[in-house]
Amino acid sequence: MANKLDSKIPSGNIESKWTNHKFSSKLVNPANKRKHSIIVVGTGLAGASAAASLGELGYKVKAFCVHESPRRAHSVAAQGGINAAKNYQNDGDSVYRLFYDTVKGGDFRAREANVHRLAEVSTNIIDQMVAQGVPFAREYGGTLSNRSFGGAQVSRTFYARGQTGQQLLLGAYSEMMRQVDAKTVDLYNRREMLDVVVIDGKARGIIVRNLLTGEIESHEADAVVIASGGYSNVFFLSTNAMNCAVTAAWKAHKRGAYFANPCYTQIHPTCIPVHGDNQSKLTLMSESLRNDGRVWVPKAVGDKRHPNEIPENERDYYLERIYPSFGNLAPRDVSSRQAKYRCDEGRGVNEAGKAVYLDFADAIKRLGEDKISERYGNLFDMYDKITGQNPYKQPMMIYPAPHYTMGGLWVDYNLESTIPGLFVAGEANFSDHGANRLGASALMQGLADGYFVLPYTLGNYLGGTKLEKVATTHEAFKAAAHGVKEEITKMMNIKGARTVDSFHKELGNVMWEYCGMGRNEAGLKKALQEIPKIKEEFWNNVRIPGDANYLNVELEKAGRVADFIELGELMCRDALERNESCGGHYREEYQVDGEAKRDDENFCHVAAWEYTGDNKLSVRHQEELTFENVHLATRSYK
Amino acid sequence: MSGKNINLTLKVWRQKGPKDQGAFAEYQAKNVSEDASFLEMLDAVNEELVAKGDMPIAFDHDCREGICGTCGFVIDGEAHGPMKSTTVCQLHMRNFNDGAVLTIEPFRAKAFPMIQDLMVDRSALDRVISSGGFISTNTGNAVDANAILVPKADADEAMSSATCIGCGACVAACKNASAALFTSAKISHMALLPQGQVERKERAMRMVGAMDAEGFGACTTTGACEAACPKEIQLTNISRMNREFFVANVTKREKHKDGGAG
């Protein structure tokens, strides 16, 4: 079989690749644009910005989301900020430095050309969002404010209080709603994508379930964009919103889109620790807090004194001690692992021994409570509400939790998957972040893909591809819709004894235990024995009450959990095959003094998995990565 | 983190669909951790219902961090429950007494049609936004961000208005089911920024018109919306909206229909 993994990286030096590629891309003349239809699945930052831009250009866009309103997409919850290489602070930033930091931060497992493009367009993103009225923080002179973020030594992060994601999403959403008003975008809310329709080898439409009526609908188009976010909910407890699912991406995978680097998941270091068995999700405290908060644990094992009673010389500010040049701003994977080590040593600070302190006492002394409140007030209030403790008076307690997923559907430089005409944007694709994501880069990638990449690369596809007219009466649509209905009927007819959530929790425990912050061969092999058992029991013993012909939340969850079970298995296989540590993938066998030990000789590649059928082993393909500009080197933040 | 558990009696509005008759049903929520959120308490009740083969209570929720605006219903007559500036997903059980009886019902308003149990359709709010809650700027040619200077005080005030999460609690709390707080927050956000000036009048006219067309009631300034708002959006936004609308109304110009030469 021919290798489908052609990354299509343009030739030329790194600085001119994107410029040259844009020029050599085919154009679609304005009168022809309105003859082309494009489906966008997901309306978070990537989906809404794509729908808005493509609508503006004149294409007929259909946008789909599972939410009641696009403004609910999980991008809304990103707090800290968005990076851009503006160098407004005159502190040595540049496009090249953002590119360099991101390649290094991703532990040399991202494609250089994609990352450079991301750094290039980062400056346009800020301009665009400001023009749309996003109320970023300002200095007294009226210019934009910046702060620094994990993994960076310059201040390049733009922010809107602790609600940057919300403000950016509302910006992209309002631009999309403008196109809805202009009738270039048709919005379909409360719809879940359950299949991609492929005709003559090209993506030509989708099958969705109307979540209110249960109706299975078919929609055709000339191209499909999936922007459905990440899959951290595979862990059950994660920082993701409850409706975040892998379903759209997974269904596309089953239709032939390769899934790349599924084992690359990010564990975020600053979450509110788990409180009990009934907990449904974990809440993130923004990474921006590490600008002023100092992370520590008691020096003595088992020191259970109140934190305010532990004197300075009996505290271990371990990040500052181990990583003096980055200190509390060490990257997320590094900070998370260090927190785990301290807790493994018995120095964890909550009842379960699974937390470390994030202390603002010094910052409050230095800057005053007002300044701290201005910077982080809403985050402090949120912490207070959840835990019942006042972080102005005593340190916060934090612990790492599953957050962002760097893996996703494989795409080439054009963001096109291995199914021609199926494009993937934002967190749903695997590109740009490598094995670890630095702070404030997820919002950047979502908007880069939607506003500045897809409008060119989709145009190039439509301009250069012969597309026959298809209708939803085509056999392929009927077959796909039939398949979707059959699966739903099968699930409804199980009528077993266990709730959907009980399966999700069981899967989540296995994933966290064996494919979480640390992985090893024995654990992954164990998980690969456990997961098929969960799958077997799910398909024989799940209980979904009610029927499928109207709103049925349990049915929605069941479909998503079924997909998570299959994805979980692939994640473990991917983690098992990758005999090295890199970024968020930490194989305990491959380390030097607790730091990740990469194997560039054997694993400097993207692993892209091909689905070969139900209960058959997926096939692993490789895309070799070359580093011509940022030379392969051991990542060090010391 | 208290580690204590409490018991509650819930009177929950159950309604199968928009055309069905609704009624309150009573449930016991036992051994609820004080550290759990209100929605986690409902999750536990739902797990029991499903185990018994009953339909779980349908309620909208997503981020559970108080920011997406998806969750929301009325507890003992108060939208999002008794705590000030708190969404129902961030309402923790330590705020309730052991043995309490709670009445839980959906947001009620003509413009929010019933879907099921505690879920209602708030898409009218999206249509208010698509009528003018944006700045018309196409992608790709914006000027450098620092070319648009915004005084810090204006940016901060715009931000305070922009924090509206569109949950609809203001509508549910208002005796007229008015969406004035929601609409005025967006109008204010944009009217306070230089980027929003060009379309300022058009926006006020269109958004107020859309709000009325959706069937939301008029504002009679009782302030119930402000009291219920989980994001502390202030009534001053409504004053600003009224001023914007008034000015726009008295200074509006007819649109020119002339074609260009060429």
Side-chain angles (χ1 to χ4, degrees), chain A residues 205-269:
Chain A
I206 60 172
I207 308 293
V208 299
R209 179 169 181 269
N210 180 327
L211 300 181
L212 289 182
T213 63
E215 201 181 329
I216 304 300
E217 304 171 356
S218 299
H219 295 271
E220 90 284 357
D222 293 336
V224 175
V225 177
I226 291 185
S228 56
Y231 52 84
S232 256
N233 269 356
V234 71
F235 293 99
F236 186 72
L237 281 185
S238 81
T239 64
N240 279 194
M242 308 309 283
N243 287 320
C244 293
V246 76
T247 289
W250 194 252
K251 302 298 190 195
H253 172 57
K254 285 184 149 184
R255 282 283 172 197
Y258 290 5
F259 207 103
N261 298 337
C263 77
Y264 287 167
T265 52
Q266 180 167 72
I267 312 296
H268 194 291

Side-chain angles (χ1 to χ4, degrees), chain A residues 53 56 67-72 76-77 86 88 126-128 130-133 135 138-140 142-144 160-161 163 166-167 170 173-175 177-178 181 190 212 239 241-243 275 278-284 374 382 385-388 451-452 499 501 543 545-546 550-551 554, chain B residues 1 16 35-36 40 43 47 50-56 60-65 67-70 85-86 90 92 94 115-116 119-120 122 126 129-130 133-140 142-146 148-150 152 155-156 159-160 162-166 182 189 193 195 206:
Chain A
S53 298
E56 269 166 35
H67 299 95
E68 54 141 4
S69 161
R71 65 180 293 149
R72 315 279 186 224
V76 81
K86 282 286 200 185
Y88 282 160
I126 301 302
D127 299 342
Q128 179 70 23
V130 166
Q132 284 170 204
R138 299 270 172 173
E139 303 293 343
Y140 280 96
T143 55
L144 290 151
R161 279 188 208 152
Q163 305 168 5
Q166 188 200 18
Q167 293 310 317
L170 290 181
Y173 152 83
S174 67
E175 291 307 304
M177 295 314 280
R178 178 168 75 102
D181 183 54
R190 293 196 196 265
L212 289 182
T239 64
M242 308 309 283
N243 287 320
H275 65 64
N278 278 344
Q279 191 154 359
S280 58
K281 76 160 309 211
L282 297 170
T283 301
L284 190 70
E374 186 186 312
M382 190 166 85
K385 261 178 204 156
I386 293 172
T387 65
Y451 275 132
F452 298 106
T499 63
D501 276 3
R543 166 177 288 186
Y550 64 95
L551 185 130
E554 292 296 307
Chain B
M1 303 285 159
K16 198 174 171 203
D35 295 326
E40 286 168 346
D43 288 341
E47 283 288 286
V50 175
K52 281 195 292 185
D54 294 337
M55 284 303 284
D60 260 325
H61 62 94
D62 197 20
C63 80
R64 298 201 174 190
E65 294 183 13
I67 191 74
C68 74
T70 312
S85 61
T86 303
Q90 290 291 292
H92 285 75
R94 68 180 72 91
I115 294 175
Q116 193 182 100
M119 285 169 78
V120 296
R122 292 165 288 184
D126 284 325
I129 294 294
S130 67
F134 48 74
I135 286 160
S136 298
T137 174
N138 280 4
T139 306
V143 295
D144 183 86
N146 264 349
I148 306 169
L149 296 176
V150 184
K152 181 169 165 37
D156 286 349
M159 178 69 204
S160 293
T163 55
C164 168
I165 56 174
F182 168 83
H189 160 205
L193 294 172
Q195 301 92 308
R206 289 191 64 197

Side-chain angles (χ1 to χ4, degrees), chain A residues 131-133, chain B residues 134-136 148-151 154 158 187-204 240 244 247-248 253:
Chain A
Q132 284 170 204
Chain B
F134 48 74
I135 286 160
S136 298
I148 306 169
L149 296 176
V150 184
D154 292 357
I187 287 177
S188 288
H189 160 205
M190 294 187 165
L192 284 159
L193 294 172
Q195 301 92 308
Q197 297 313 305
V198 174
E199 295 169 294
R200 193 170 168 175
K201 291 177 186 174
E202 175 90 6
R203 177 180 305 116
R240 189 179 289 109
E244 292 288 323
V247 170
R253 287 180 291 193

Side-chain angles (χ1 to χ4, degrees), chain B residues 4 6 13 16 20 39 41 43 47 73 78 104-105 136 154 156 179 185 194 213 216 221 229 236 243:
Chain B
K4 279 189 284 185
I6 57 171
W13 184 261
K16 198 174 171 203
D20 298 285
L39 300 188
M41 182 272 293
D43 288 341
E47 283 288 286
F73 41 78
E78 293 185 89
I104 305 170
E105 55 191 317
S136 298
D154 292 357
D156 286 349
F216 291 107
T221 330
C229 177
T236 46
R243 198 162 60 239

Side-chain angles (χ1 to χ4, degrees), chain A residues 196-431:
Chain A
V196 179
V197 179
V198 180
I199 296 174
D200 295 333
K202 302 183 193 85
R204 295 307 302 269
I206 60 172
I207 308 293
V208 299
R209 179 169 181 269
N210 180 327
L211 300 181
L212 289 182
T213 63
E215 201 181 329
I216 304 300
E217 304 171 356
S218 299
H219 295 271
E220 90 284 357
D222 293 336
V224 175
V225 177
I226 291 185
S228 56
Y231 52 84
S232 256
N233 269 356
V234 71
F235 293 99
F236 186 72
L237 281 185
S238 81
T239 64
N240 279 194
M242 308 309 283
N243 287 320
C244 293
V246 76
T247 289
W250 194 252
K251 302 298 190 195
H253 172 57
K254 285 184 149 184
R255 282 283 172 197
Y258 290 5
F259 207 103
N261 298 337
C263 77
Y264 287 167
T265 52
Q266 180 167 72
I267 312 296
H268 194 291
T270 57
C271 285
I272 299 179
V274 176
H275 65 64
D277 295 340
N278 278 344
Q279 191 154 359
S280 58
K281 76 160 309 211
L282 297 170
T283 301
L284 190 70
M285 300 309 293
S286 166
E287 185 162 36
S288 64
L289 293 169
R290 293 199 279 147
N291 268 307
D292 288 308
R294 298 179 70 195
V295 178
W296 63 276
V297 290
K299 277 186 182 163
V301 171
D303 186 342
K304 293 292 171 202
R305 281 178 289 174
H306 189 280
N308 294 356
E309 286 166 13
I310 299 177
E312 216 33 50
N313 60 4
E314 291 176 40
R315 299 175 175 192
D316 178 12
Y317 294 93
Y318 58 89
L319 287 177
E320 296 169 30
R321 171 169 63 80
I322 302 170
Y323 308 102
S325 38
F326 281 74
N328 295 298
L329 287 170
R332 291 175 177 181
D333 60 324
V334 173
S335 306
S336 294
R337 275 197 290 281
Q338 287 297 335
K340 179 176 188 286
Y341 295 155
R342 306 290 81 91
C343 295
D344 291 349
E345 290 167 0
R347 298 197 281 153
V349 297
N350 67 352
E351 278 159 33
K354 295 237 168 156
V356 299
Y357 289 127
L358 178 62
D359 197 340
F360 290 85
D362 281 351
I364 290 172
K365 217 179 286 170
R366 188 175 74 243
L367 301 163
E369 200 168 306
D370 284 353
K371 190 77 192 168
I372 292 299
S373 155
E374 186 186 312
R375 283 186 191 167
Y376 313 110
N378 64 322
L379 300 172
F380 277 43
D381 292 346
M382 190 166 85
Y383 182 87
D384 195 340
K385 261 178 204 156
I386 293 172
T387 65
Q389 289 180 354
N390 181 348
Y392 292 103
K393 303 289 174 219
Q394 66 186 80
M396 290 182 180
M397 287 195 277
I398 53 165
Y399 196 68
H403 178 49
Y404 188 90
T405 51
M406 284 77 69
L409 293 177
W410 184 89
V411 288
D412 63 17
Y413 186 74
N414 294 317
L415 305 185
E416 192 174 7
S417 72
T418 47
I419 301 175
L422 180 75
F423 292 76
V424 192
E427 192 179 351
N429 75 28
F430 87 106
S431 71

